[in-house]
Amino acid sequence: MAAHFGRRLRKGAATTAVAAAAVAALSASQAPGATGDDHGRQATAGASAPVPDPAGDDATGNSPYYTDLPPLNSPNPSPSPSAGTPVAQGAAEAGIPATVLDAYKKAEAELRASKPGCNLPWQLLAAIGKVESGQARGGEVDASGTTLRPILGPVLDGNGFALIKDTDHGAYDGNAQYDQAVGPMQFIPSTWAWAGRDGNGDGKKDPNNIYDAALAAGHYLCRGDRDLSQAADLHGAILGYNNSQDYLNTVLSWMEYYSKGTYSVPDGTGAAPGHRSDDGTPRTTPATPAEPANPHQGEPGSKDQGGRPSPSPTPSKPGGGQDGGDPAPRPPGTPDPTTPTPTDTVDHLENAGTATAELTATAGDAFTGTISTRAETKAGAAVAKVRIRFTISGDTDATFTGGEDVATVATDSKGVAKAPALQAGEKTGDFKVTATVVGRSLKGVDYQATVTERPADTLTATTDGDTPLTCTPGGAFADQVQLKATYKGAVADKVAATATLIKSATDATENDKGPYFKDATTGKAVRTLTGLKTDAKGLLTLPKLYADDTTGTFLLRVTTPGGGTLTVQLTVAADGTATASPSPSPSASATS
C-alpha cells in the first residue's frame, strides 16, 4: 500500500524535463527521513481552513484529496519507455480503467487541436483524476462515462474546510445550503458553471461524466496562455486546481509515474486509494458494480457514497449540532458558518467606471476596454472578497481570454472585480456581458459590447488592364476580376465585400440588365453578391461574369467596410471586343 505523502517520495529519472525538474526539486525536502515545514494548506486538526483561489475561480474549493503515492519502482524498467506501453504484471497502480483512460486521451486530443500551445499531456489529467477520485472510484462508470453513484467532496461549510455557500441550488451536489466538490474531477458547482464541457457529445455538461469532467479539467488547466511543458505554468495550473504544495507534489509524482507506462484495466477494477489529506474516511467506498445508486443522494437522512449521512439543508440549531446535541468542534481559525460572509453583506453591484465606448472591437481583435464591477453594501461601502461572475450572452462568438464565455473573479480591497480581457470573434454585432454575485440572487449589471466588421480603406484591381476580358452578347467573360484589399497600407484579410452591377457612376442601385453573376444553386442571373471575403493575403477573386443580349458599357462596383471602393468598367459588344477593366474616371476608381 502506498504511504502518505511526507513519509516517502520515490526517486527516478523523469520521462519529461518538467517531471524530472519537479521530482528533483522535491527530493531534497520530501525524501525518506527528511524534515521541513509543511507547506500544504489542506485542512487538518488545528489548521486554518483553506480559502478559495484569490482569482475566485478555483476548481475544487481546496477540498480534501487522496494522498496515496505511486510505488517506488517504475512501472516500466525500460530506459526509454513509450507512453501507454503495457507494464509488468502486478503493478496495479499503473492500471487505469478503460473508459476513464479513454476520456483522458480524448481530452488531450481535443486540447491539442483547440489549444496546441498549452501542450496538455493526458498523464496530467490521469494524475489529477487519481488524486481527486481514485480514477472515478476505480472506474465505476457506465458505458457513457457517467459515474454509477455520485462522488461528492465534504460539505464546504467552513467547519475545517473552505466556506462556500450554495451557488447551484443543489442542482449538482444535492446541497442547497453549501457547495460540495462534484464528480470524478471534483469541480465545485460555481466553477463548473463556466468551466463545464460536453466531452461525450450528448448535449449536456455533466460533472459526473468522466468525458465531460476530463475535458473541463483540460480547459481549466489550459486557461490563458499557459504552456504546460514549462514547469512554472504546470505548477501554477495544478496549484490553481487545489492550492496546496502537498497536492502539487502528489500530482506531479503520479504524472511522472504514468508517463513511464500504464495499461488499461476493465471498468470497476481499478486500484482504490486509501488515504485522504484530511485523514478522514475515503470519500468513496468501493462497491460491486451491481450495487444500485442511491436515488436520494444529498437528501436529509440519506447516505453518501462513503456511507456517511448526507448534509441536511436545514441550518444547524444555535448552540447545538443538527441533531440538537453538542455542536461539532471547529478547528481554530476556521470561519463560523453562522457569521455573515462578505457575500451576505452585498446589497447591490455598480458599474465601476466602464464606458460603453470602450467596449467596441473589430472582428478578431482584443477589446481595449476593461469591464469592472464594484460590490457595495446598502450604505455604499465596498465589499472585498466577493465572487463576481461575468457571463457573455447574445449571438456572438466573443469570449474572455482563454476561450471561456463565463469567468469568476473575486473583488479586491476596493470592492472591484475586473473581468478578463474580451476577445472579439468573427461574428459582428452587439452582445452583452452580465456581472452577478455568486451565491446571491441580486440584480446584475449589464455591459453592452459591439464587434464591428474588419475594414479595408483601399481596393486595387490586380487584373491586367492591358488584357481586356473578351465577351460577346450571351457569352461569358474569359477571365475573372481579382482585387486586393488593404487598410492603412497593411493587408486586410477576412474583410467582407459586396459586389454590385450598378446603373451608373452616380446611381449605385442595382442594374437590371447587362453583365451578371450566376447563382451557385439555381444558375439564375444575380447582379449583387454579398458574403464575399478577402483571403489571408487580402485577395478576392470574383466569380465568373456572364453577359445577356444587351450591348454597351456597364459598371461593377465592389465595396468594403472602412470605405474601400473599386469600380470596374465592363463593355459588351457584338463584335467581340467586350472588356473588363478598372474605370479610368477618378470618381470610379478612387477609394473613399
Side-chain angles (χ1 to χ4, degrees):
M1 178 179 294
H4 284 169
F5 195 88
R7 289 164 57 185
R8 62 185 175 89
L9 174 65
R10 63 188 177 86
K11 299 179 181 179
T15 58
T16 65
V18 171
V23 173
L26 297 175
S27 297
S29 63
Q30 302 295 340
T35 60
D37 295 334
D38 179 10
H39 300 289
R41 296 188 180 93
Q42 70 273 15
T44 56
S48 298
V51 296
D53 187 319
D57 55 1
D58 46 287
T60 69
N62 294 322
S63 294
Y65 55 90
Y66 288 111
T67 58
D68 300 64
L69 286 178
L72 288 170
N73 296 326
S74 169
N76 191 329
S78 173
S80 301
S82 58
T85 303
V87 299
Q89 294 297 318
E93 290 85 352
I96 300 178
T99 299
V100 177
L101 180 60
D102 184 57
Y104 296 148
K105 292 185 175 182
K106 279 184 167 58
E108 179 198 55
E110 197 277 342
L111 267 298
R112 292 288 182 187
S114 62
K115 295 183 178 180
C118 179
N119 294 306
L120 172 79
W122 67 260
Q123 290 90 346
L124 173 58
L125 297 176
I128 290 177
K130 178 71 173 182
V131 170
E132 292 294 344
S133 68
Q135 309 297 18
R137 194 187 296 116
E140 289 191 4
V141 296
D142 62 20
S144 68
T146 301
T147 57
L148 300 180
R149 293 172 293 143
I151 301 176
L152 296 175
V155 180
L156 299 177
D157 59 1
N159 190 9
F161 306 106
L163 174 58
I164 303 179
K165 294 190 176 181
D166 176 66
T167 62
D168 66 332
H169 305 290
Y172 294 121
D173 53 17
N175 189 335
Q177 186 177 4
Y178 299 102
D179 272 351
Q180 295 174 253
V182 181
M185 302 303 277
Q186 288 290 281
F187 278 97
I188 55 174
S190 60
T191 299
W192 184 260
W194 64 266
R197 291 292 191 279
D198 177 14
N200 62 352
D202 64 357
K204 298 183 295 183
K205 299 176 182 179
D206 183 3
N208 297 294
N209 182 278
I210 186 58
Y211 288 99
D212 295 359
L215 184 58
H219 277 278
Y220 179 90
L221 294 165
C222 286
R223 286 175 299 162
D225 58 355
R226 281 176 177 158
D227 178 359
L228 300 184
S229 67
Q230 303 299 314
D233 284 357
L234 174 64
H235 293 184
I238 296 172
L239 288 172
Y241 214 91
N242 193 311
N243 193 17
S244 162
Q245 186 66 36
D246 282 354
Y247 181 87
L248 170 65
N249 298 345
T250 307
V251 169
L252 288 174
S253 66
W254 279 107
M255 177 181 170
E256 187 215 2
Y257 183 74
Y258 287 140
S259 72
K260 291 188 175 182
T262 61
Y263 64 101
S264 174
V265 299
D267 290 344
T269 65
H275 304 95
R276 272 193 4 198
S277 59
D278 62 345
D279 291 326
T281 56
R283 64 166 64 99
T284 59
T285 298
T288 61
E291 181 177 344
N294 181 0
H296 303 291
Q297 174 69 39
E299 295 180 4
S302 68
K303 302 288 185 178
D304 71 3
Q305 73 290 340
R308 297 165 296 172
S310 289
S312 169
T314 304
S316 301
K317 298 178 182 179
Q322 292 180 353
D323 59 359
D326 293 333
R330 185 169 61 252
T334 60
D336 185 345
T338 63
T339 301
T341 65
T343 299
D344 296 327
T345 67
V346 177
D347 177 75
H348 60 275
L349 296 178
E350 293 285 350
N351 182 335
T354 301
T356 302
E358 298 176 343
L359 298 181
T360 299
T362 301
D365 289 348
F367 284 76
T368 57
T370 301
I371 295 177
S372 298
T373 301
R374 176 180 160 95
E376 298 182 353
T377 65
K378 190 172 184 179
V383 185
K385 299 181 181 179
V386 174
R387 295 156 67 86
I388 304 298
R389 180 175 296 148
F390 296 93
T391 305
I392 297 173
S393 61
D395 184 18
T396 182
D397 56 356
T399 64
F400 294 115
T401 300
E404 312 294 346
D405 57 11
V406 180
T408 306
V409 180
T411 56
D412 59 19
S413 60
K414 297 180 180 179
V416 175
K418 294 182 179 180
L422 278 171
Q423 174 68 42
E426 293 302 323
K427 286 186 178 180
T428 60
D430 299 330
F431 66 95
K432 182 173 62 175
V433 178
T434 302
T436 56
V437 179
V438 175
R440 294 288 303 280
S441 298
L442 299 175
K443 181 180 179 181
V445 177
D446 292 333
Y447 301 83
Q448 298 297 326
T450 302
V451 178
T452 59
E453 294 181 299
R454 294 171 182 259
D457 55 16
T458 303
L459 300 180
T460 306
T462 62
T463 306
D464 187 353
D466 295 332
T467 306
L469 303 179
T470 304
C471 179
T472 57
F477 288 89
D479 296 317
Q480 294 169 254
V481 176
Q482 187 185 68
L483 56 88
K484 182 174 183 178
T486 58
Y487 182 66
K488 296 182 179 180
V491 168
D493 64 327
K494 298 182 181 179
V495 175
T498 299
T500 307
L501 279 305
I502 61 176
K503 290 185 176 179
S504 69
T506 58
D507 185 355
T509 58
E510 181 182 288
N511 206 339
D512 58 358
K513 57 185 176 181
Y516 62 89
F517 302 105
K518 281 186 178 180
D519 182 274
T521 303
T522 65
K524 293 182 178 180
V526 176
R527 291 187 168 86
T528 297
L529 291 180
T530 59
L532 304 170
K533 281 196 174 183
T534 60
D535 63 15
K537 297 181 180 179
L539 298 176
L540 172 62
T541 301
L542 300 183
K544 183 179 284 292
L545 278 163
Y546 301 85
D548 61 14
D549 294 332
T550 307
T551 60
T553 301
F554 304 90
L555 297 179
L556 168 65
R557 179 164 292 172
V558 183
T559 59
T560 60
T565 301
L566 176 69
T567 302
V568 177
Q569 182 173 289
L570 306 172
T571 302
V572 180
D575 61 1
T577 59
T579 61
S581 62
S583 171
S585 64
S587 61
S589 61
T591 60
S592 59

